Amino acid sequence: MGGSGFLGGELVRRSVMDGRVVAATYLSRPGAAAGADWLPLDVRDRTAVAALIGEFGPDIVVNAAFRQSDWVTTAMGAAHVAVATSENGGRLVHVSSDAVFSGKAVTYTENCVPDPITPYGAAKAAAETAVQAIDPTAVIARTSLIVGDGGSPHEDLVRSLATGGRNGVLFTDDVRCPVHVRDLSAALLELANSDRAGIHHVAGADAVSRYELGCLIARRDGFDPARLPFGRRADTDLPGPVDVRLDCGLTQRHLRTRLRGAREFVK
């Protein structure tokens, strides 16, 4: 679910390369990845979700569908996918987010209780609760800022800021554990094919600020990092957690996929 997004597209590409029969859903337009059946779906429509999953009969469903400003898509949509997948005997991997945490504790393990402070974080936390209640065998994979080799929204933002094409700043106190989209997709599919269940943290090994990450991306892409505007989230009235670090040590011990840090994969 959510195959046309940045993560969804990589999941489709990797699954097709692995020789799987892949159906990928989209809300407004199909993705660019070849080799998949692209199917329109609004996860807010419980009947449509049940019909599609019932007709296709997937062995594995990875739910990467979300909309930050839409509770029904993010929270209720996850419940609809979980119900339909469970009823059809499929294996569910639900993609969650570090947004379920406030940042008060800074570092979070898999057994930490969500304490979201934004509507999006609350929707993601509600989705986790629903998925666990509906299907205790499902994997819930919390991740962080997703980066690639040039195609992610954060990378687009950095390039726009570096060239003066967009106003804004990169926060020096807004810390996350960025993950490469290839590492994340490989880990999600590995978890899907395992006997693991419950909460897993799947993020990068490095805790970096959005500004430091921006500097890494700028250097890689041939831009002067000195051109990047910076500031502190604490000096603004923007809602949201500041420093949230997912401890992935427990999950990493069960994965063959190595979750690299941004200082390694952004070169």
Side-chain angles (χ1 to χ4, degrees), residues 80-267:
H80 296 162
V81 172
V83 168
T85 303
S86 179
E87 288 180 346
N88 283 273
R91 167 78 161 153
L92 175 62
V93 176
H94 172 73
V95 181
S96 191
S97 167
D98 57 11
V100 302
F101 297 121
S102 69
K104 292 179 181 178
V106 179
T107 301
Y108 293 87
T109 59
E110 285 89 343
N111 62 358
C112 289
V113 177
D115 60 340
I117 57 175
T118 64
Y120 173 63
K124 277 293 192 183
E128 288 187 3
T129 300
V131 169
Q132 285 185 300
I134 294 165
D135 183 3
T137 68
V139 168
I140 296 170
R142 294 181 184 138
T143 192
S144 190
L145 193 61
I146 306 173
V147 182
D149 296 322
S152 70
H154 191 76
E155 290 164 288
D156 291 341
L157 170 62
V158 169
R159 286 191 291 270
S160 294
L161 291 173
T163 58
R166 181 171 174 177
N167 295 323
V169 299
L170 296 173
F171 293 128
T172 58
D173 59 345
D174 194 327
V175 177
R176 297 294 185 273
C177 295
V179 64
H180 197 285
V181 67
R182 288 200 301 269
D183 297 349
L184 176 57
S185 61
L188 293 175
L189 293 175
E190 188 177 338
L191 288 168
N193 286 286
S194 74
D195 59 359
R196 306 294 299 169
I199 302 291
H200 291 71
H201 284 181
V202 189
D206 295 337
V208 300
S209 71
R210 289 182 185 264
Y211 175 68
E212 181 183 353
L213 179 61
C215 290
L216 291 170
I217 292 169
R219 291 191 191 96
R220 181 199 67 189
D221 294 348
F223 297 107
D224 182 2
R227 294 180 58 87
L228 294 175
F230 59 89
R232 296 197 321 148
R233 178 184 279 273
D235 295 331
T236 75
D237 58 359
L238 291 174
V242 176
D243 193 339
V244 177
R245 311 179 188 202
L246 295 181
D247 182 340
C248 303
L250 180 60
T251 296
Q252 180 65 90
R253 288 196 289 274
H254 295 282
L255 291 175
R256 296 186 304 276
T257 302
R258 189 167 68 88
L259 300 170
R260 297 169 294 164
R263 297 184 185 98
E264 177 182 351
F265 67 70
V266 182
K267 293 182 179 179

